[in-house]
Amino acid sequence: MTSIDNLFLMTLSGQSESGTVPPEGRRIIVPAGQHVDISLLLLHGNADIHVVLTGKQASCRIQTLYLSCQNNRNNLNLEVIHESPETTSEQIIKGIVTDTAHTAFHGIIRMPHQAQQCVGSQNHRAVLLTPQAVVMATPELEIYADDVQCAHGSAIGALDTAALFYLMSRGIAEKTARHILLQAMINDSLPPSFEPVVQEWMAQHA
Amino acid sequence: MALLTIENLCARVGDKEILKDFSLTINPGEVHVIMGPNGSGKSTLANVIAGHPAYEVTGGRLMFKDRDVLKMTPDERANIGIFLAFQSPTELPGVGSALFLKTALNAKRQAAGEKDIDAVSFMRRLRPRATALGITDDMLKRALNVGFSGGEKKRMEMLQMAFLEPDFCMLDEIDSGLDIDALHTVSQAVNIMRESHRSFLLITHFQRLLNDITPDYIHIMMDGRIVKTGDKTLAATLEEKGYDIYR
């Protein structure tokens, strides 16, 4: 178990809440015309977040970074339910997994019959730093409405060896080159207040 | 003392032998050109010298400034003065071009026991070189090579060379994909950098690169080794007669 904690930051209707990730599931209701911003840094254990967009023009943006090392086992569940028409959601999930760690990511966007003219997106990208690291991703869309825009994508792989060589061929040491590429991947996906924890993790494990 | 000495170098990718007893000596201040048909091993040679991990060296020696390069990592090679301008430069999404240049220069300075460059000196070093190569501030703000045209990528390679000032510059088909004006700009960048302590190895298919750059030697490479060495007139002979007479 690492000493640094999971981090959670949420802003809804101008009210901010920050702390660690609640281990039990968290259900966040977003009423009409409101926007919620959720940032999550998962370093160990599980996170289970459900966002329900209950009124027109409700929207959410969920940014998640999971960093997993040693023999950790993590589960990340994200669910967005577009209960009302004309709602918008965006999920950006990134991960770095090393050693023999194992992360399971499950993300779903639900758009029931009444969820017309909704827009939803979910983008997941993870880098495996060792051959033994594992990410299992199950991105899902459950769509019953016929007038919606919905997209999801998931990419998991090792660091780009060509990019690594390119940086090293300019004199940059391998560890620094790796950090540059990882930092580039997770760029802009988290609030600045999470940065020191991310840097500490990278220095120790990446 | 030779800057670079290659003796009987053998290298392969997977099971395929590409360099076969390749030998070449480059002295300080010299410009060498390697020409040869596709698949003769020209790019492999450059990548092996730079330390690309995909190539396995199976025999021979590679000495640079009297040091055994084969034992060094790519970054160590770069920091003692070896530079490769790539044929197809890699795109690095999320890595800002200017920050990349600064990181690379500081890595070189740290390896030499010097302190990091300050912001003012960095811009003073970067700006005139960028201007000379037609690289705009906008390009320097963008992620390295991402969305750059073929010509822009080649000019960015030349900027890195001019900025890092290596002692040995390998240019792998720097002329491919360049229009006449860009080719002239790139040639000028090489000519400006020609100095008594710096050497060049140019890999090309075309004589036109040599309109502006006058080499000391031209080598013809076939099947993993040099089969003919001549002066600058060899390029014209090749252009006229092709490679068949050397096969």
Side-chain angles (χ1 to χ4, degrees):
Chain A
M1 178 77 79
T2 169
S3 62
I4 32 189
D5 250 330
N6 297 327
L7 293 173
F8 177 77
L9 179 67
M10 179 171 83
T11 308
L12 173 61
S13 310
Q15 299 283 312
S16 287
E17 174 193 328
S18 63
T20 62
V21 184
E24 72 284 2
R26 177 76 190 253
R27 193 174 169 89
I28 297 152
I29 309 293
V30 189
Q34 299 296 320
H35 175 79
V36 67
D37 254 314
I38 297 167
S39 298
L40 177 68
L41 176 61
L42 182 67
L43 296 155
H44 48 83
N46 305 322
D48 186 21
I49 291 176
H50 308 261
V51 177
V52 190
L53 305 169
T54 58
K56 283 187 179 180
Q57 311 304 328
S59 60
C60 72
R61 184 165 196 260
I62 307 172
Q63 304 177 98
T64 304
L65 174 65
Y66 57 85
L67 303 172
S68 194
C69 60
Q70 298 163 354
N71 200 31
N72 286 352
R73 295 292 181 266
N74 309 104
N75 288 292
L76 171 63
N77 288 317
L78 299 176
E79 181 188 34
V80 175
I81 305 169
H82 291 256
E83 243 179 39
S84 164
E86 298 173 38
T87 50
T88 303
S89 70
E90 182 185 10
Q91 299 173 57
I92 300 163
I93 308 103
K94 292 181 180 176
I96 303 170
V97 180
T98 187
D99 304 327
T100 53
H102 188 306
T103 299
F105 162 64
H106 178 236
I108 184 161
I109 303 173
R110 296 186 199 275
M111 292 184 176
H113 292 288
Q114 73 276 16
Q116 301 298 348
Q117 296 185 318
C118 288
V119 178
S121 72
Q122 180 198 80
N123 200 310
H124 169 247
R125 194 171 162 212
V127 172
L128 307 173
L129 295 184
T130 59
Q132 296 80 26
V134 176
V135 170
M136 291 180 68
T138 41
E140 280 187 77
L141 302 178
E142 185 189 87
I143 299 173
Y144 291 100
D146 54 13
D147 181 17
V148 299
Q149 289 178 46
C150 212
H152 67 168
S154 180
I156 305 165
L159 266 187
D160 180 355
T161 53
L164 201 59
F165 175 63
Y166 189 91
L167 290 168
M168 290 179 73
S169 79
R170 300 303 184 241
I172 298 169
E174 184 175 358
K175 184 164 181 163
T176 310
R178 214 166 44 230
H179 284 190
I180 288 173
L181 295 177
L182 292 172
Q183 196 66 53
M185 182 196 72
I186 62 180
N187 236 357
D188 302 333
S189 58
L190 285 178
S193 60
F194 288 11
E195 194 63 17
V197 178
V198 174
Q199 292 306 325
E200 188 183 332
W201 189 92
M202 295 260 273
Q204 283 180 27
H205 304 288
Chain B
M1 185 182 83
L3 184 68
L4 179 79
T5 308
I6 307 172
E7 288 175 0
N8 304 110
L9 193 66
C10 300
R12 66 183 180 197
V13 175
D15 292 336
K16 192 171 163 55
E17 299 287 342
I18 301 180
L19 297 184
K20 300 169 183 170
D21 282 327
F22 183 97
S23 296
L24 176 66
T25 299
I26 297 179
N27 293 306
E30 291 177 349
V31 176
H32 290 241
V33 174
I34 292 192
M35 303 180 85
N38 294 326
S40 57
K42 305 183 296 297
S43 292
T44 295
L45 173 68
N47 277 291
V48 165
I49 295 172
H52 196 298
Y55 299 90
E56 184 191 355
V57 174
T58 54
R61 287 201 329 147
L62 179 57
M63 306 295 288
F64 183 75
K65 296 180 181 173
D66 246 1
R67 296 171 70 173
D68 184 356
V69 171
L70 293 178
K71 292 194 173 88
M72 295 182 183
T73 55
D75 53 310
E76 289 169 337
R77 297 179 196 208
N79 288 328
I80 60 166
I82 294 175
F83 180 89
L84 169 59
F86 290 92
Q87 187 179 342
S88 308
T90 307
E91 295 189 4
L92 296 177
V95 180
S97 301
L99 186 63
F100 159 76
L101 284 165
K102 195 172 182 181
T103 307
L105 182 65
N106 282 336
K108 186 183 174 188
R109 291 168 71 103
Q110 284 160 16
E114 298 167 13
K115 62 180 177 72
D116 287 358
I117 194 166
D118 63 80
V120 175
S121 307
F122 170 72
M123 288 315 293
R124 201 176 286 152
R125 185 181 174 112
L126 178 60
R127 191 143 283 165
R129 290 167 172 82
T131 305
L133 286 158
I135 290 172
T136 60
D137 283 358
D138 176 57
M139 278 172 74
L140 291 169
K141 282 180 196 148
R142 280 153 58 188
L144 187 67
N145 294 328
V146 178
F148 287 20
S149 70
E152 285 173 335
K153 284 181 182 172
K154 295 298 175 83
R155 280 188 279 135
M156 187 55 91
E157 292 293 287
M158 289 296 90
L159 176 62
Q160 292 171 42
M161 182 179 82
F163 186 75
L164 296 172
E165 298 184 341
D167 291 330
F168 178 56
C169 310
M170 297 180 282
L171 280 59
D172 189 2
E173 294 195 22
I174 198 71
D175 49 348
S176 69
L178 290 187
D179 61 37
I180 297 162
D181 291 338
L183 184 64
H184 185 68
T185 306
V186 163
S187 305
Q188 286 309 111
V190 171
N191 285 331
I192 288 167
M193 286 188 71
R194 283 184 80 160
E195 285 188 55
S196 59
H197 66 274
R198 181 174 295 123
S199 308
F200 290 84
L201 181 65
L202 312 179
I203 293 168
T204 183
H205 281 292
F206 303 108
Q207 191 195 353
R208 61 178 190 176
L209 179 66
L210 309 177
N211 290 340
D212 288 331
I213 303 170
T214 308
D216 297 296
Y217 300 97
I218 293 180
H219 310 280
I220 298 172
M221 193 166 174
M222 293 273 196
D223 193 25
R225 60 174 74 87
I226 289 172
V227 295
K228 170 85 180 167
T229 293
D231 62 15
K232 59 183 181 184
T233 60
L234 187 56
T237 311
L238 267 183
E239 195 91 353
E240 190 187 333
K241 296 184 175 165
Y243 291 115
D244 276 350
I245 56 170
Y246 302 105
R247 283 185 206 273

